[in-house]
mmCIF file of all heavy atoms in Angstrom:
data_model
loop_
_atom_site.group_PDB
_atom_site.id
_atom_site.type_symbol
_atom_site.label_atom_id
_atom_site.label_comp_id
_atom_site.label_asym_id
_atom_site.label_seq_id
_atom_site.Cartn_x
_atom_site.Cartn_y
_atom_site.Cartn_z
ATOM 1 N N GLY A 97 -15.748 7.153 -22.965
ATOM 2 C CA GLY A 97 -14.369 6.643 -23.249
ATOM 3 C C GLY A 97 -13.348 7.651 -22.600
ATOM 4 O O GLY A 97 -12.072 7.183 -22.552
ATOM 5 N N GLN A 98 -13.686 8.682 -21.931
ATOM 6 C CA GLN A 98 -12.645 9.535 -21.352
ATOM 7 C C GLN A 98 -12.650 9.328 -19.748
ATOM 8 O O GLN A 98 -12.073 10.115 -19.013
ATOM 9 C CB GLN A 98 -13.004 10.919 -21.589
ATOM 10 C CG GLN A 98 -12.834 11.351 -23.040
ATOM 11 C CD GLN A 98 -11.552 10.923 -23.596
ATOM 12 O OE1 GLN A 98 -10.568 11.390 -23.222
ATOM 13 N NE2 GLN A 98 -11.558 10.170 -24.695
ATOM 14 N N THR A 99 -13.480 8.285 -19.173
ATOM 15 C CA THR A 99 -13.540 8.040 -17.913
ATOM 16 C C THR A 99 -12.084 7.724 -17.301
ATOM 17 O O THR A 99 -11.376 6.849 -17.634
ATOM 18 C CB THR A 99 -14.374 6.800 -17.641
ATOM 19 O OG1 THR A 99 -15.657 7.046 -18.168
ATOM 20 C CG2 THR A 99 -14.529 6.538 -16.080
ATOM 21 N N THR A 100 -11.796 8.597 -16.236
ATOM 22 C CA THR A 100 -10.500 8.292 -15.539
ATOM 23 C C THR A 100 -10.398 7.351 -14.481
ATOM 24 O O THR A 100 -9.401 6.613 -14.270
ATOM 25 C CB THR A 100 -10.030 9.673 -14.995
ATOM 26 O OG1 THR A 100 -9.962 10.749 -16.114
ATOM 27 C CG2 THR A 100 -8.742 9.620 -14.297
ATOM 28 N N ALA A 101 -11.502 7.343 -13.657
ATOM 29 C CA ALA A 101 -11.561 6.456 -12.544
ATOM 30 C C ALA A 101 -12.909 5.826 -12.325
ATOM 31 O O ALA A 101 -13.927 6.453 -12.542
ATOM 32 C CB ALA A 101 -10.951 7.372 -11.282
ATOM 33 N N ILE A 102 -12.937 4.603 -11.740
ATOM 34 C CA ILE A 102 -14.173 4.056 -11.290
ATOM 35 C C ILE A 102 -14.008 3.766 -9.824
ATOM 36 O O ILE A 102 -13.006 3.206 -9.209
ATOM 37 C CB ILE A 102 -14.316 2.654 -12.043
ATOM 38 C CG1 ILE A 102 -14.428 2.853 -13.483
ATOM 39 C CG2 ILE A 102 -15.471 1.866 -11.452
ATOM 40 C CD1 ILE A 102 -14.339 1.507 -14.306
ATOM 41 N N VAL A 103 -15.036 4.212 -9.078
ATOM 42 C CA VAL A 103 -15.160 4.025 -7.634
ATOM 43 C C VAL A 103 -16.181 3.000 -7.276
ATOM 44 O O VAL A 103 -17.365 3.167 -7.674
ATOM 45 C CB VAL A 103 -15.344 5.306 -6.843
ATOM 46 C CG1 VAL A 103 -15.418 5.155 -5.406
ATOM 47 C CG2 VAL A 103 -14.368 6.384 -7.218
ATOM 48 N N ILE A 104 -15.748 1.828 -6.647
ATOM 49 C CA ILE A 104 -16.690 0.868 -6.239
ATOM 50 C C ILE A 104 -16.813 0.751 -4.739
ATOM 51 O O ILE A 104 -15.959 0.786 -4.082
ATOM 52 C CB ILE A 104 -16.146 -0.552 -6.882
ATOM 53 C CG1 ILE A 104 -16.082 -0.531 -8.373
ATOM 54 C CG2 ILE A 104 -17.034 -1.727 -6.483
ATOM 55 C CD1 ILE A 104 -15.385 -1.742 -9.131
ATOM 56 N N SER A 105 -18.148 0.691 -4.362
ATOM 57 C CA SER A 105 -18.402 0.576 -2.919
ATOM 58 C C SER A 105 -18.050 -0.734 -2.410
ATOM 59 O O SER A 105 -18.210 -1.785 -3.077
ATOM 60 C CB SER A 105 -19.841 0.908 -2.537
ATOM 61 O OG SER A 105 -20.671 -0.053 -2.932
ATOM 62 N N LYS A 106 -17.649 -0.935 -1.111
ATOM 63 C CA LYS A 106 -17.354 -2.198 -0.620
ATOM 64 C C LYS A 106 -18.558 -3.162 -0.490
ATOM 65 O O LYS A 106 -18.367 -4.324 -0.793
ATOM 66 C CB LYS A 106 -16.876 -1.976 0.975
ATOM 67 C CG LYS A 106 -16.577 -3.219 1.578
ATOM 68 C CD LYS A 106 -16.268 -2.902 3.179
ATOM 69 C CE LYS A 106 -16.143 -4.172 3.965
ATOM 70 N NZ LYS A 106 -15.835 -4.000 5.416
ATOM 71 N N ASP A 107 -19.699 -2.629 -0.407
ATOM 72 C CA ASP A 107 -20.940 -3.356 -0.413
ATOM 73 C C ASP A 107 -21.144 -4.160 -1.662
ATOM 74 O O ASP A 107 -21.656 -5.351 -1.783
ATOM 75 C CB ASP A 107 -22.099 -2.587 0.022
ATOM 76 C CG ASP A 107 -22.150 -2.182 1.399
ATOM 77 O OD1 ASP A 107 -21.522 -2.715 2.249
ATOM 78 O OD2 ASP A 107 -22.792 -1.065 1.813
ATOM 79 N N ILE A 108 -20.932 -3.408 -2.826
ATOM 80 C CA ILE A 108 -21.202 -4.060 -4.112
ATOM 81 C C ILE A 108 -20.053 -5.104 -4.384
ATOM 82 O O ILE A 108 -20.308 -5.982 -5.061
ATOM 83 C CB ILE A 108 -21.391 -3.106 -5.257
ATOM 84 C CG1 ILE A 108 -22.259 -3.751 -6.276
ATOM 85 C CG2 ILE A 108 -20.066 -2.488 -5.763
ATOM 86 C CD1 ILE A 108 -22.611 -2.714 -7.369
ATOM 87 N N ALA A 109 -18.888 -4.791 -3.784
ATOM 88 C CA ALA A 109 -17.677 -5.653 -3.959
ATOM 89 C C ALA A 109 -17.951 -6.958 -3.313
ATOM 90 O O ALA A 109 -17.663 -8.102 -3.801
ATOM 91 C CB ALA A 109 -16.443 -4.932 -3.466
ATOM 92 N N LEU A 110 -18.706 -6.975 -2.140
ATOM 93 C CA LEU A 110 -19.045 -8.136 -1.453
ATOM 94 C C LEU A 110 -20.122 -8.932 -2.304
ATOM 95 O O LEU A 110 -20.043 -10.157 -2.179
ATOM 96 C CB LEU A 110 -19.645 -7.782 -0.055
ATOM 97 C CG LEU A 110 -18.551 -7.309 0.975
ATOM 98 C CD1 LEU A 110 -19.342 -6.665 2.205
ATOM 99 C CD2 LEU A 110 -17.649 -8.334 1.375
ATOM 100 N N GLN A 111 -20.904 -8.384 -2.949
ATOM 101 C CA GLN A 111 -21.863 -9.017 -3.860
ATOM 102 C C GLN A 111 -21.384 -9.684 -5.000
ATOM 103 O O GLN A 111 -21.544 -10.815 -5.352
ATOM 104 C CB GLN A 111 -23.062 -8.062 -4.104
ATOM 105 C CG GLN A 111 -23.851 -7.626 -2.980
ATOM 106 C CD GLN A 111 -25.011 -6.631 -3.404
ATOM 107 O OE1 GLN A 111 -25.148 -6.371 -4.558
ATOM 108 N NE2 GLN A 111 -25.553 -5.932 -2.434
ATOM 109 N N SER A 112 -20.589 -8.814 -6.020
ATOM 110 C CA SER A 112 -20.395 -9.262 -7.185
ATOM 111 C C SER A 112 -19.158 -8.490 -7.888
ATOM 112 O O SER A 112 -19.353 -7.953 -8.915
ATOM 113 C CB SER A 112 -21.599 -9.179 -8.158
ATOM 114 O OG SER A 112 -22.146 -7.819 -8.158
ATOM 115 N N MET A 113 -18.042 -8.545 -7.268
ATOM 116 C CA MET A 113 -16.920 -7.732 -7.710
ATOM 117 C C MET A 113 -16.550 -8.254 -9.072
ATOM 118 O O MET A 113 -16.281 -7.345 -10.100
ATOM 119 C CB MET A 113 -15.820 -7.744 -6.807
ATOM 120 C CG MET A 113 -14.608 -6.937 -7.138
ATOM 121 S SD MET A 113 -15.087 -5.194 -7.069
ATOM 122 C CE MET A 113 -13.485 -4.440 -7.497
ATOM 123 N N GLU A 114 -16.302 -9.462 -9.256
ATOM 124 C CA GLU A 114 -15.790 -10.051 -10.525
ATOM 125 C C GLU A 114 -16.728 -9.735 -11.748
ATOM 126 O O GLU A 114 -16.339 -9.352 -12.818
ATOM 127 C CB GLU A 114 -15.602 -11.543 -10.416
ATOM 128 C CG GLU A 114 -14.935 -12.043 -11.714
ATOM 129 C CD GLU A 114 -14.549 -13.521 -11.495
ATOM 130 O OE1 GLU A 114 -15.197 -14.197 -10.770
ATOM 131 O OE2 GLU A 114 -13.555 -14.037 -12.201
ATOM 132 N N ARG A 115 -18.101 -9.832 -11.421
ATOM 133 C CA ARG A 115 -19.010 -9.617 -12.508
ATOM 134 C C ARG A 115 -19.020 -8.133 -12.964
ATOM 135 O O ARG A 115 -19.123 -7.754 -14.024
ATOM 136 C CB ARG A 115 -20.505 -9.848 -11.974
ATOM 137 C CG ARG A 115 -21.505 -9.823 -13.102
ATOM 138 C CD ARG A 115 -22.850 -10.278 -12.676
ATOM 139 N NE ARG A 115 -23.585 -9.537 -11.759
ATOM 140 C CZ ARG A 115 -23.824 -9.851 -10.501
ATOM 141 N NH1 ARG A 115 -23.492 -10.991 -10.023
ATOM 142 N NH2 ARG A 115 -24.555 -9.034 -9.718
ATOM 143 N N GLN A 116 -18.808 -7.145 -11.929
ATOM 144 C CA GLN A 116 -18.701 -5.752 -12.341
ATOM 145 C C GLN A 116 -17.529 -5.462 -13.135
ATOM 146 O O GLN A 116 -17.565 -4.732 -14.234
ATOM 147 C CB GLN A 116 -18.752 -4.918 -11.045
ATOM 148 C CG GLN A 116 -19.956 -5.032 -10.082
ATOM 149 C CD GLN A 116 -21.266 -5.077 -10.791
ATOM 150 O OE1 GLN A 116 -21.412 -4.450 -11.751
ATOM 151 N NE2 GLN A 116 -22.229 -5.735 -10.350
ATOM 152 N N ILE A 117 -16.404 -6.000 -12.790
ATOM 153 C CA ILE A 117 -15.047 -5.709 -13.502
ATOM 154 C C ILE A 117 -15.201 -6.423 -14.951
ATOM 155 O O ILE A 117 -14.954 -5.730 -15.968
ATOM 156 C CB ILE A 117 -13.986 -6.469 -12.849
ATOM 157 C CG1 ILE A 117 -13.623 -5.662 -11.511
ATOM 158 C CG2 ILE A 117 -12.679 -6.329 -13.635
ATOM 159 C CD1 ILE A 117 -13.364 -4.136 -11.612
ATOM 160 N N GLU A 118 -15.792 -7.562 -15.024
ATOM 161 C CA GLU A 118 -16.008 -8.150 -16.344
ATOM 162 C C GLU A 118 -16.894 -7.385 -17.228
ATOM 163 O O GLU A 118 -16.652 -7.239 -18.423
ATOM 164 C CB GLU A 118 -16.655 -9.580 -16.118
ATOM 165 C CG GLU A 118 -16.880 -10.372 -17.457
ATOM 166 C CD GLU A 118 -15.621 -10.700 -18.185
ATOM 167 O OE1 GLU A 118 -14.441 -10.797 -17.619
ATOM 168 O OE2 GLU A 118 -15.692 -10.900 -19.408
ATOM 169 N N THR A 119 -17.888 -6.725 -16.598
ATOM 170 C CA THR A 119 -18.827 -5.909 -17.391
ATOM 171 C C THR A 119 -18.192 -4.655 -17.943
ATOM 172 O O THR A 119 -18.314 -4.294 -19.125
ATOM 173 C CB THR A 119 -20.011 -5.491 -16.489
ATOM 174 O OG1 THR A 119 -20.768 -6.698 -16.027
ATOM 175 C CG2 THR A 119 -21.009 -4.692 -17.352
ATOM 176 N N PHE A 120 -17.322 -4.036 -17.017
ATOM 177 C CA PHE A 120 -16.567 -2.922 -17.491
ATOM 178 C C PHE A 120 -15.658 -3.220 -18.830
ATOM 179 O O PHE A 120 -15.457 -2.550 -19.671
ATOM 180 C CB PHE A 120 -15.711 -2.193 -16.419
ATOM 181 C CG PHE A 120 -16.529 -1.341 -15.523
ATOM 182 C CD1 PHE A 120 -16.685 -1.608 -14.188
ATOM 183 C CD2 PHE A 120 -17.078 -0.253 -16.145
ATOM 184 C CE1 PHE A 120 -17.473 -0.859 -13.377
ATOM 185 C CE2 PHE A 120 -17.721 0.609 -15.275
ATOM 186 C CZ PHE A 120 -18.024 0.375 -13.900
ATOM 187 N N ARG A 121 -14.980 -4.396 -18.572
ATOM 188 C CA ARG A 121 -14.147 -5.036 -19.706
ATOM 189 C C ARG A 121 -14.872 -5.145 -20.983
ATOM 190 O O ARG A 121 -14.409 -4.855 -22.023
ATOM 191 C CB ARG A 121 -13.451 -6.157 -19.271
ATOM 192 C CG ARG A 121 -12.292 -6.016 -18.230
ATOM 193 C CD ARG A 121 -11.091 -5.574 -18.935
ATOM 194 N NE ARG A 121 -10.637 -6.590 -19.970
ATOM 195 C CZ ARG A 121 -9.722 -6.399 -20.858
ATOM 196 N NH1 ARG A 121 -9.238 -5.239 -21.056
ATOM 197 N NH2 ARG A 121 -9.461 -7.407 -21.636
#
Side-chain angles (χ1 to χ4, degrees):
Q98 301 303 305
T99 302
T100 298
I102 298 169
V103 182
I104 300 175
S105 73
K106 176 183 174 182
D107 290 337
I108 203 168
L110 287 169
Q111 291 179 8
S112 56
M113 184 65 175
E114 186 175 24
R115 185 169 74 244
Q116 306 307 331
I117 296 298
E118 179 67 23
T119 302
F120 277 118
R121 283 280 298 163

